[in-house]
Each structure stands twice: as structure tokens, then as C-alpha cells.
Amino acid sequence: MKQRIIKLLCLTAFAMLAFACSKQQGNSSQTQNSITIRDYYGRDVTIAPNPRRIVSLSPGITELLFDLGEQQRLVGRTDFCLYPAEAKSIPSVGGISDASLELICSLQPELVITASMVSKQMIEAMEKSGLKVICLPEQKKAADVYSTLSVLGEIVGKKELADSLIADCKSKLEQITANIPQGKKPLVYYVAGFGAGGDFTAGGNTFINDIIELSGGENLAKQIDGWSIGKEEIFFRQPEYIIIRKEDAEAFKHTAPYDQLSAVKENKVLAIESTLTDCQTLRFVQAVRLISQFIYKSE
């Protein structure tokens, strides 16, 4: 009888210990099953990992989710999320800064991911509607896309793949930059807009400026903070090479007074696919390669 009592006490103690351990593991799991991210607006946003329904209000974010092979999570996108082509089959919620809150809510997303073009007021309106929102903005350096991809990898449970994609991108970039000649850098002008509405380019605080510098060029507008530039500056400095979106190239080359620029007359105008420079994605390396080849093979 005494031995039975001892065994019973031991079993009871073991059961209580097992229950306590189980309870402790449950609390730990609950902590591990959440991710806290500090976003562009300084907000600490806590989310559950692996959200199944995501609305992207950024062409760059949309493309990076495709890179991670997680496009099936996307239930909504903007009118400007056009790459890759498969993204066009995802329902659109409108523009970026003027996306339809009603449409976003109707898609019942577990997470909305925005970039810097979405205002804080819009984010607050989405949160008041019960949506979980994270803002992951474009930044000043092209390679800042690595940190964005790393966060996305953590959110969707693809951290290792994100790290692998980043390492591959860095390796390709190193191969390109290693072959760029040293010495004086040719002056490059990036055309973001032109005509009666004004002239716009990529200033020194933009990631396009970083792309130009990585390509071995000197950005004509590197001293400018922002996107606006005067014609006088362009013509006074006379860029050696001009980079412009493919869809704008022909109009630019045949519009006065731009047709009088030396680079236009000498056919030193590179028409580039706009998504390579307009969106901060891993394909910025392609832009660096194209621009560096254009600059140095032309000389």
C-alpha cells in the first residue's frame, strides 16, 4: 500500500510538471507567433506571421512577394502593380495614394502593406476600419531593398529564401561594379519628366541617384534635394548621357528644346524599362548593368 501511494504521488507530481511545462511552452509559442515591425511612420506594428490574405499598395512590394514565390497571398494590388505580368490578374484597389478603402476592406485582408506614397492619414483610416497596416517605404539607397525583402521574408515565412536572393543580388552587383573603369565619371541626366509641366529628375537623395553612381556615372542632379530641376541647369551642364523611360524616349528626343542637347544629337540617350528604375526591387541590378554598359561601351 505504501509503495502504491508513493507511485501515485510520483505520477501526480509528474502530471503536474508536464502540465506546467505545456502551459509555459504555450505562452512562449504565443510570443514567437507574432512579429513586431517598426515601419516608416515609427509605429511598432505587431502581426501574426504567415498572413494568408495580403493587399499590396506598392508595385515594389508586389514584385518582391512574387520573387519570394508568395503571390498566392496577394488578394489586392494597385493599378501600378504591373510586373510581373501575372500581377495583372490580381484585383486592383485603384491607385497608390488614392486607393479605395472600400475595395480594400471588401477583400478582407489580414495585412495591408504600403510604401511611402501612402499618407499617414490613409493608414490611420485603414486602421480605423479594422485593417492591420505596415508601411515599408522606398529608401535613398538602391540596396535598401535588401532590408525590405528581409522583412517580407520574415512576414511570409521565407527568411532563408530572402537571404539567398539577397546574396545572389549582391554577387551580381559586385561583378558589374568590378568591371567599371576608374577615373572621371561621365555626367548622366535622368529624365523623370519634361515639357510644359516642368522638368523633373532624380536628385541626390533618391535611389535612382544611387543606381547612376553604382553604374559608374555622375548624376547631373546630385546636388538637388527632390525631383524638380530647371532647364537652365540642364543646358548649362550639358549631360554626356541621358537616361529616360522607354515610353518617353522618342517624344523627348523630338521635342524642343531637348532636341538641341548634345547627348540627344549624338544619340547618347538610353531608353530604359521604367520598372527597372521606378520601383525599388531586386531588378535595380539590371538597371545598373544596362546603364554601365551604355556609358562605357559608348565611349
Side-chain angles (χ1 to χ4, degrees), residues 3-61:
Q3 289 179 345
R4 286 183 181 179
I5 292 172
I6 292 172
K7 284 183 180 180
L8 182 60
L9 289 172
C10 288
L11 288 172
T12 302
F14 179 80
M16 290 177 67
L17 178 62
F19 174 76
C21 290
S22 174
K23 187 174 182 181
Q24 185 176 5
Q25 287 176 355
N27 290 338
S28 175
S29 176
Q30 186 176 2
T31 302
Q32 291 173 357
N33 284 337
S34 64
I35 303 170
T36 300
I37 297 168
R38 174 156 289 190
D39 75 355
Y40 176 70
Y41 291 111
R43 305 173 314 129
D44 289 322
V45 183
T46 301
I47 65 168
N50 287 310
R52 294 166 297 174
R53 300 179 65 80
I54 297 175
V55 168
S56 167
L57 299 184
S58 162
I61 296 296

Short mmCIF file of all heavy atoms in Angstrom, two decimals, residues 3-61:
data_model
loop_
_atom_site.label_atom_id
_atom_site.label_comp_id
_atom_site.label_asym_id
_atom_site.label_seq_id
_atom_site.Cartn_x
_atom_site.Cartn_y
_atom_site.Cartn_z
N GLN A 3 3.88 1.51 -1.12
CA GLN A 3 4.52 1.67 -2.42
C GLN A 3 3.54 2.26 -3.44
O GLN A 3 3.91 3.07 -4.28
CB GLN A 3 5.04 0.30 -2.91
CG GLN A 3 6.25 -0.18 -2.12
CD GLN A 3 6.72 -1.52 -2.62
OE1 GLN A 3 6.01 -2.22 -3.35
NE2 GLN A 3 7.93 -1.91 -2.20
N ARG A 4 2.27 1.83 -3.38
CA ARG A 4 1.25 2.36 -4.29
C ARG A 4 1.05 3.86 -4.09
O ARG A 4 0.91 4.61 -5.04
CB ARG A 4 -0.08 1.64 -4.07
CG ARG A 4 -0.11 0.22 -4.59
CD ARG A 4 -1.48 -0.38 -4.39
NE ARG A 4 -1.53 -1.76 -4.86
CZ ARG A 4 -2.60 -2.55 -4.79
NH1 ARG A 4 -3.73 -2.07 -4.25
NH2 ARG A 4 -2.57 -3.78 -5.24
N ILE A 5 1.03 4.27 -2.82
CA ILE A 5 0.86 5.70 -2.51
C ILE A 5 2.02 6.51 -3.07
O ILE A 5 1.85 7.57 -3.67
CB ILE A 5 0.71 5.91 -0.99
CG1 ILE A 5 -0.61 5.32 -0.51
CG2 ILE A 5 0.79 7.40 -0.65
CD1 ILE A 5 -0.76 5.31 0.99
N ILE A 6 3.25 5.95 -2.89
CA ILE A 6 4.43 6.65 -3.40
C ILE A 6 4.36 6.78 -4.92
O ILE A 6 4.65 7.84 -5.48
CB ILE A 6 5.72 5.91 -2.97
CG1 ILE A 6 5.90 6.03 -1.46
CG2 ILE A 6 6.94 6.45 -3.70
CD1 ILE A 6 7.02 5.17 -0.90
N LYS A 7 3.95 5.67 -5.60
CA LYS A 7 3.84 5.70 -7.06
C LYS A 7 2.79 6.72 -7.50
O LYS A 7 2.98 7.46 -8.46
CB LYS A 7 3.46 4.31 -7.58
CG LYS A 7 4.60 3.33 -7.56
CD LYS A 7 4.15 2.00 -8.17
CE LYS A 7 5.30 0.99 -8.17
NZ LYS A 7 4.89 -0.31 -8.76
N LEU A 8 1.65 6.74 -6.78
CA LEU A 8 0.57 7.67 -7.11
C LEU A 8 1.04 9.12 -6.96
O LEU A 8 0.76 9.97 -7.80
CB LEU A 8 -0.63 7.41 -6.21
CG LEU A 8 -1.87 8.27 -6.47
CD1 LEU A 8 -2.38 8.05 -7.90
CD2 LEU A 8 -2.98 7.94 -5.48
N LEU A 9 1.78 9.39 -5.88
CA LEU A 9 2.31 10.74 -5.66
C LEU A 9 3.29 11.13 -6.76
O LEU A 9 3.31 12.27 -7.24
CB LEU A 9 2.98 10.83 -4.29
CG LEU A 9 2.05 10.79 -3.08
CD1 LEU A 9 2.86 10.69 -1.78
CD2 LEU A 9 1.16 12.03 -3.05
N CYS A 10 4.12 10.16 -7.15
CA CYS A 10 5.09 10.42 -8.22
C CYS A 10 4.38 10.72 -9.54
O CYS A 10 4.76 11.65 -10.27
CB CYS A 10 6.03 9.23 -8.41
SG CYS A 10 7.21 9.05 -7.06
N LEU A 11 3.35 9.93 -9.86
CA LEU A 11 2.61 10.14 -11.11
C LEU A 11 1.91 11.49 -11.09
O LEU A 11 1.86 12.20 -12.09
CB LEU A 11 1.58 9.01 -11.30
CG LEU A 11 2.16 7.66 -11.69
CD1 LEU A 11 1.07 6.58 -11.67
CD2 LEU A 11 2.78 7.72 -13.10
N THR A 12 1.34 11.84 -9.90
CA THR A 12 0.65 13.13 -9.78
C THR A 12 1.63 14.28 -9.97
O THR A 12 1.35 15.25 -10.68
CB THR A 12 -0.02 13.26 -8.41
OG1 THR A 12 -0.93 12.17 -8.24
CG2 THR A 12 -0.75 14.57 -8.27
N ALA A 13 2.80 14.15 -9.35
CA ALA A 13 3.82 15.20 -9.48
C ALA A 13 4.28 15.33 -10.93
O ALA A 13 4.47 16.43 -11.45
CB ALA A 13 5.01 14.89 -8.58
N PHE A 14 4.45 14.17 -11.59
CA PHE A 14 4.88 14.18 -12.99
C PHE A 14 3.84 14.84 -13.88
O PHE A 14 4.16 15.64 -14.77
CB PHE A 14 5.13 12.74 -13.45
CG PHE A 14 5.55 12.64 -14.90
CD1 PHE A 14 6.85 12.90 -15.28
CD2 PHE A 14 4.61 12.30 -15.88
CE1 PHE A 14 7.22 12.82 -16.60
CE2 PHE A 14 4.99 12.20 -17.20
CZ PHE A 14 6.29 12.46 -17.57
N ALA A 15 2.55 14.52 -13.62
CA ALA A 15 1.47 15.10 -14.42
C ALA A 15 1.41 16.60 -14.25
O ALA A 15 1.21 17.36 -15.20
CB ALA A 15 0.14 14.47 -14.02
N MET A 16 1.58 17.06 -12.97
CA MET A 16 1.55 18.50 -12.70
C MET A 16 2.71 19.21 -13.39
O MET A 16 2.58 20.30 -13.94
CB MET A 16 1.61 18.75 -11.19
CG MET A 16 0.33 18.35 -10.47
SD MET A 16 0.45 18.57 -8.69
CE MET A 16 0.54 20.35 -8.59
N LEU A 17 3.90 18.55 -13.38
CA LEU A 17 5.08 19.13 -14.02
C LEU A 17 4.86 19.21 -15.53
O LEU A 17 5.20 20.21 -16.17
CB LEU A 17 6.31 18.27 -13.69
CG LEU A 17 7.64 18.71 -14.33
CD1 LEU A 17 8.02 20.10 -13.83
CD2 LEU A 17 8.74 17.70 -14.00
N ALA A 18 4.30 18.14 -16.10
CA ALA A 18 4.04 18.12 -17.54
C ALA A 18 3.07 19.22 -17.93
O ALA A 18 3.23 19.89 -18.95
CB ALA A 18 3.49 16.75 -17.96
N PHE A 19 2.01 19.41 -17.11
CA PHE A 19 1.01 20.45 -17.38
C PHE A 19 1.65 21.84 -17.33
O PHE A 19 1.39 22.70 -18.17
CB PHE A 19 -0.12 20.37 -16.36
CG PHE A 19 -1.12 21.48 -16.48
CD1 PHE A 19 -2.07 21.48 -17.50
CD2 PHE A 19 -1.10 22.55 -15.60
CE1 PHE A 19 -2.98 22.51 -17.63
CE2 PHE A 19 -2.01 23.59 -15.72
CZ PHE A 19 -2.96 23.56 -16.75
N ALA A 20 2.53 22.02 -16.31
CA ALA A 20 3.20 23.31 -16.16
C ALA A 20 4.09 23.60 -17.36
O ALA A 20 4.13 24.71 -17.88
CB ALA A 20 4.01 23.33 -14.87
N CYS A 21 4.83 22.57 -17.79
CA CYS A 21 5.71 22.75 -18.96
C CYS A 21 4.91 23.06 -20.20
O CYS A 21 5.28 23.92 -21.01
CB CYS A 21 6.55 21.50 -19.18
SG CYS A 21 7.81 21.24 -17.92
N SER A 22 3.79 22.32 -20.35
CA SER A 22 2.93 22.54 -21.51
C SER A 22 2.41 23.96 -21.53
O SER A 22 2.38 24.62 -22.57
CB SER A 22 1.78 21.54 -21.49
OG SER A 22 0.87 21.82 -22.53
N LYS A 23 1.98 24.46 -20.37
CA LYS A 23 1.44 25.81 -20.27
C LYS A 23 2.51 26.85 -20.60
O LYS A 23 2.28 27.82 -21.31
CB LYS A 23 0.88 26.05 -18.87
CG LYS A 23 0.13 27.37 -18.74
CD LYS A 23 -0.52 27.48 -17.39
CE LYS A 23 -1.30 28.77 -17.27
NZ LYS A 23 -1.92 28.93 -15.95
N GLN A 24 3.75 26.58 -20.08
CA GLN A 24 4.84 27.51 -20.33
C GLN A 24 5.19 27.55 -21.81
O GLN A 24 5.42 28.60 -22.39
CB GLN A 24 6.06 27.08 -19.52
CG GLN A 24 7.22 28.07 -19.62
CD GLN A 24 8.38 27.67 -18.73
OE1 GLN A 24 8.35 26.61 -18.13
NE2 GLN A 24 9.38 28.49 -18.66
N GLN A 25 5.23 26.38 -22.48
CA GLN A 25 5.52 26.32 -23.90
C GLN A 25 4.45 27.03 -24.71
O GLN A 25 4.73 27.69 -25.70
CB GLN A 25 5.62 24.86 -24.35
CG GLN A 25 6.89 24.19 -23.86
CD GLN A 25 6.93 22.73 -24.22
OE1 GLN A 25 5.97 22.18 -24.75
NE2 GLN A 25 8.03 22.08 -23.91
N GLY A 26 3.20 26.95 -24.26
CA GLY A 26 2.11 27.62 -24.97
C GLY A 26 2.29 29.12 -24.95
O GLY A 26 2.12 29.80 -25.96
N ASN A 27 2.69 29.70 -23.79
CA ASN A 27 2.92 31.13 -23.70
C ASN A 27 4.08 31.56 -24.58
O ASN A 27 4.05 32.58 -25.24
CB ASN A 27 3.21 31.52 -22.24
CG ASN A 27 1.96 31.41 -21.38
OD1 ASN A 27 0.85 31.44 -21.89
ND2 ASN A 27 2.15 31.24 -20.07
N SER A 28 5.15 30.72 -24.59
CA SER A 28 6.32 31.03 -25.39
C SER A 28 5.97 30.99 -26.88
O SER A 28 6.36 31.85 -27.64
CB SER A 28 7.43 30.01 -25.10
OG SER A 28 8.53 30.22 -25.95
N SER A 29 5.17 30.00 -27.27
CA SER A 29 4.75 29.87 -28.66
C SER A 29 3.92 31.07 -29.09
O SER A 29 4.04 31.57 -30.19
CB SER A 29 3.96 28.57 -28.84
OG SER A 29 3.47 28.48 -30.14
N GLN A 30 3.09 31.54 -28.17
CA GLN A 30 2.24 32.68 -28.48
C GLN A 30 3.10 33.93 -28.75
O GLN A 30 2.83 34.71 -29.63
CB GLN A 30 1.29 32.95 -27.32
CG GLN A 30 0.27 34.04 -27.62
CD GLN A 30 -0.72 34.20 -26.49
OE1 GLN A 30 -0.63 33.53 -25.47
NE2 GLN A 30 -1.66 35.08 -26.66
N THR A 31 4.19 34.07 -27.98
CA THR A 31 5.11 35.19 -28.19
C THR A 31 5.84 35.04 -29.51
O THR A 31 6.01 35.99 -30.27
CB THR A 31 6.13 35.27 -27.03
OG1 THR A 31 5.40 35.40 -25.82
CG2 THR A 31 7.06 36.46 -27.20
N GLN A 32 6.30 33.80 -29.78
CA GLN A 32 7.04 33.54 -31.02
C GLN A 32 6.15 33.66 -32.24
O GLN A 32 6.64 33.90 -33.34
CB GLN A 32 7.67 32.15 -30.96
CG GLN A 32 8.80 32.04 -29.93
CD GLN A 32 9.29 30.61 -29.77
OE1 GLN A 32 8.74 29.70 -30.38
NE2 GLN A 32 10.30 30.43 -28.95
N ASN A 33 4.86 33.47 -32.08
CA ASN A 33 3.95 33.53 -33.21
C ASN A 33 3.45 34.94 -33.49
O ASN A 33 2.34 35.13 -33.98
CB ASN A 33 2.75 32.59 -32.98
CG ASN A 33 3.14 31.15 -33.21
OD1 ASN A 33 4.12 30.87 -33.91
ND2 ASN A 33 2.41 30.23 -32.61
N SER A 34 4.26 35.92 -33.16
CA SER A 34 3.94 37.29 -33.52
C SER A 34 5.22 37.99 -33.94
O SER A 34 6.31 37.64 -33.48
CB SER A 34 3.27 38.03 -32.36
OG SER A 34 4.17 38.15 -31.28
N ILE A 35 5.10 38.94 -34.82
CA ILE A 35 6.24 39.70 -35.32
C ILE A 35 5.96 41.17 -35.09
O ILE A 35 4.87 41.66 -35.42
CB ILE A 35 6.46 39.46 -36.83
CG1 ILE A 35 6.65 37.97 -37.13
CG2 ILE A 35 7.65 40.25 -37.35
CD1 ILE A 35 6.62 37.65 -38.61
N THR A 36 6.90 41.87 -34.51
CA THR A 36 6.75 43.32 -34.32
C THR A 36 7.72 44.04 -35.25
O THR A 36 8.92 43.78 -35.24
CB THR A 36 7.02 43.73 -32.87
OG1 THR A 36 6.08 43.06 -32.02
CG2 THR A 36 6.86 45.23 -32.70
N ILE A 37 7.18 44.92 -36.06
CA ILE A 37 7.97 45.64 -37.05
C ILE A 37 7.77 47.13 -36.87
O ILE A 37 6.64 47.61 -36.76
CB ILE A 37 7.54 45.23 -38.49
CG1 ILE A 37 7.81 43.73 -38.70
CG2 ILE A 37 8.27 46.07 -39.53
CD1 ILE A 37 7.17 43.18 -39.95
N ARG A 38 8.87 47.86 -36.82
CA ARG A 38 8.79 49.32 -36.78
C ARG A 38 8.78 49.82 -38.22
O ARG A 38 9.72 49.59 -38.99
CB ARG A 38 9.97 49.92 -36.02
CG ARG A 38 10.00 51.45 -36.09
CD ARG A 38 10.76 52.06 -34.94
NE ARG A 38 10.02 51.91 -33.69
CZ ARG A 38 10.34 52.51 -32.55
NH1 ARG A 38 11.39 53.31 -32.50
NH2 ARG A 38 9.63 52.33 -31.45
N ASP A 39 7.71 50.52 -38.61
CA ASP A 39 7.56 50.89 -40.00
C ASP A 39 8.01 52.33 -40.26
O ASP A 39 8.60 52.99 -39.40
CB ASP A 39 6.12 50.66 -40.48
CG ASP A 39 5.13 51.69 -39.97
OD1 ASP A 39 5.51 52.56 -39.16
OD2 ASP A 39 3.96 51.64 -40.40
N TYR A 40 7.74 52.80 -41.46
CA TYR A 40 8.19 54.10 -41.96
C TYR A 40 7.73 55.26 -41.06
O TYR A 40 8.44 56.25 -40.90
CB TYR A 40 7.65 54.29 -43.37
CG TYR A 40 7.94 55.63 -44.00
CD1 TYR A 40 9.23 55.98 -44.38
CD2 TYR A 40 6.92 56.54 -44.24
CE1 TYR A 40 9.49 57.19 -44.98
CE2 TYR A 40 7.17 57.76 -44.84
CZ TYR A 40 8.47 58.08 -45.21
OH TYR A 40 8.72 59.29 -45.79
N TYR A 41 6.54 55.13 -40.49
CA TYR A 41 6.00 56.20 -39.66
C TYR A 41 6.34 56.02 -38.18
O TYR A 41 5.74 56.66 -37.31
CB TYR A 41 4.48 56.29 -39.86
CG TYR A 41 4.11 56.79 -41.24
CD1 TYR A 41 3.51 55.96 -42.16
CD2 TYR A 41 4.40 58.11 -41.62
CE1 TYR A 41 3.19 56.43 -43.44
CE2 TYR A 41 4.08 58.57 -42.88
CZ TYR A 41 3.47 57.74 -43.79
OH TYR A 41 3.16 58.20 -45.04
N GLY A 42 7.30 55.15 -37.87
CA GLY A 42 7.75 54.96 -36.50
C GLY A 42 6.78 54.19 -35.64
O GLY A 42 6.86 54.22 -34.40
N ARG A 43 5.85 53.47 -36.25
CA ARG A 43 4.87 52.70 -35.49
C ARG A 43 5.38 51.28 -35.29
O ARG A 43 5.90 50.66 -36.22
CB ARG A 43 3.53 52.65 -36.24
CG ARG A 43 2.97 54.02 -36.58
CD ARG A 43 1.73 53.90 -37.48
NE ARG A 43 1.95 52.97 -38.56
CZ ARG A 43 1.11 51.97 -38.87
NH1 ARG A 43 0.00 51.79 -38.19
NH2 ARG A 43 1.38 51.17 -39.88
N ASP A 44 5.24 50.75 -34.10
CA ASP A 44 5.56 49.35 -33.84
C ASP A 44 4.30 48.53 -34.11
O ASP A 44 3.35 48.57 -33.33
CB ASP A 44 6.04 49.15 -32.40
CG ASP A 44 7.41 49.75 -32.17
OD1 ASP A 44 8.25 49.66 -33.09
OD2 ASP A 44 7.65 50.32 -31.10
N VAL A 45 4.33 47.81 -35.21
CA VAL A 45 3.14 47.04 -35.64
C VAL A 45 3.38 45.56 -35.36
O VAL A 45 4.36 44.98 -35.84
CB VAL A 45 2.86 47.26 -37.14
CG1 VAL A 45 1.58 46.52 -37.55
CG2 VAL A 45 2.75 48.75 -37.46
N THR A 46 2.50 44.97 -34.58
CA THR A 46 2.61 43.55 -34.26
C THR A 46 1.60 42.76 -35.08
O THR A 46 0.41 43.07 -35.09
CB THR A 46 2.36 43.30 -32.76
OG1 THR A 46 3.33 44.04 -32.00
CG2 THR A 46 2.48 41.82 -32.42
N ILE A 47 2.10 41.77 -35.80
CA ILE A 47 1.23 40.97 -36.67
C ILE A 47 1.49 39.48 -36.43
O ILE A 47 2.54 39.10 -35.89
CB ILE A 47 1.46 41.28 -38.16
CG1 ILE A 47 2.89 40.88 -38.56
CG2 ILE A 47 1.20 42.74 -38.46
CD1 ILE A 47 3.13 40.89 -40.05
N ALA A 48 0.55 38.67 -36.84
CA ALA A 48 0.76 37.22 -36.85
C ALA A 48 1.53 36.87 -38.12
O ALA A 48 1.28 37.44 -39.18
CB ALA A 48 -0.58 36.50 -36.83
N PRO A 49 2.51 35.96 -38.05
CA PRO A 49 3.26 35.59 -39.25
C PRO A 49 2.39 34.81 -40.23
O PRO A 49 1.33 34.30 -39.88
CB PRO A 49 4.39 34.72 -38.70
CG PRO A 49 3.86 34.17 -37.43
CD PRO A 49 2.95 35.21 -36.86
N ASN A 50 2.86 34.73 -41.44
CA ASN A 50 2.18 33.98 -42.50
C ASN A 50 0.75 34.44 -42.77
O ASN A 50 -0.18 33.61 -42.81
CB ASN A 50 2.19 32.48 -42.19
CG ASN A 50 3.55 31.86 -42.37
OD1 ASN A 50 4.19 32.04 -43.41
ND2 ASN A 50 4.01 31.15 -41.36
N PRO A 51 0.52 35.73 -42.93
CA PRO A 51 -0.84 36.18 -43.30
C PRO A 51 -1.23 35.59 -44.65
O PRO A 51 -0.44 35.61 -45.60
CB PRO A 51 -0.70 37.71 -43.37
CG PRO A 51 0.75 37.95 -43.62
CD PRO A 51 1.47 36.86 -42.90
N ARG A 52 -2.43 35.05 -44.73
CA ARG A 52 -2.86 34.38 -45.96
C ARG A 52 -3.43 35.34 -46.99
O ARG A 52 -3.46 35.02 -48.17
CB ARG A 52 -3.91 33.31 -45.61
CG ARG A 52 -3.36 32.15 -44.78
CD ARG A 52 -4.49 31.33 -44.20
NE ARG A 52 -5.31 32.14 -43.27
CZ ARG A 52 -6.43 31.72 -42.69
NH1 ARG A 52 -6.87 30.51 -42.97
NH2 ARG A 52 -7.09 32.50 -41.87
N ARG A 53 -3.89 36.50 -46.55
CA ARG A 53 -4.51 37.45 -47.46
C ARG A 53 -3.82 38.82 -47.31
O ARG A 53 -3.91 39.44 -46.26
CB ARG A 53 -6.01 37.57 -47.19
CG ARG A 53 -6.77 36.26 -47.35
CD ARG A 53 -8.25 36.43 -47.04
NE ARG A 53 -8.93 37.30 -47.97
CZ ARG A 53 -9.35 36.93 -49.19
NH1 ARG A 53 -9.15 35.68 -49.60
NH2 ARG A 53 -9.95 37.79 -49.98
N ILE A 54 -3.12 39.22 -48.36
CA ILE A 54 -2.35 40.47 -48.33
C ILE A 54 -2.81 41.39 -49.45
O ILE A 54 -2.99 40.95 -50.59
CB ILE A 54 -0.84 40.20 -48.48
CG1 ILE A 54 -0.31 39.37 -47.30
CG2 ILE A 54 -0.05 41.51 -48.59
CD1 ILE A 54 1.15 38.95 -47.46
N VAL A 55 -2.98 42.66 -49.13
CA VAL A 55 -3.19 43.70 -50.14
C VAL A 55 -1.91 44.53 -50.20
O VAL A 55 -1.44 45.01 -49.18
CB VAL A 55 -4.39 44.60 -49.82
CG1 VAL A 55 -4.40 45.83 -50.74
CG2 VAL A 55 -5.70 43.83 -49.99
N SER A 56 -1.34 44.66 -51.39
CA SER A 56 -0.13 45.46 -51.57
C SER A 56 -0.48 46.78 -52.24
O SER A 56 -1.09 46.81 -53.31
CB SER A 56 0.88 44.70 -52.44
OG SER A 56 1.92 45.56 -52.86
N LEU A 57 -0.07 47.87 -51.61
CA LEU A 57 -0.26 49.20 -52.20
C LEU A 57 1.07 49.76 -52.69
O LEU A 57 1.31 50.96 -52.67
CB LEU A 57 -0.89 50.15 -51.18
CG LEU A 57 -2.27 49.76 -50.65
CD1 LEU A 57 -2.82 50.85 -49.73
CD2 LEU A 57 -3.24 49.51 -51.80
N SER A 58 1.92 48.87 -53.17
CA SER A 58 3.24 49.25 -53.67
C SER A 58 3.66 48.29 -54.78
O SER A 58 3.72 47.07 -54.55
CB SER A 58 4.27 49.21 -52.55
OG SER A 58 5.58 49.17 -53.07
N PRO A 59 3.97 48.80 -55.97
CA PRO A 59 4.46 47.93 -57.06
C PRO A 59 5.72 47.17 -56.64
O PRO A 59 5.89 46.00 -57.01
CB PRO A 59 4.76 48.92 -58.19
CG PRO A 59 3.85 50.07 -57.93
CD PRO A 59 3.79 50.20 -56.44
N GLY A 60 6.59 47.82 -55.87
CA GLY A 60 7.80 47.15 -55.42
C GLY A 60 7.51 45.99 -54.49
O GLY A 60 8.09 44.91 -54.63
N ILE A 61 6.61 46.19 -53.54
CA ILE A 61 6.23 45.12 -52.60
C ILE A 61 5.60 43.96 -53.36
O ILE A 61 5.89 42.79 -53.09
CB ILE A 61 5.26 45.65 -51.53
CG1 ILE A 61 5.93 46.73 -50.66
CG2 ILE A 61 4.72 44.51 -50.68
CD1 ILE A 61 7.11 46.24 -49.84
#
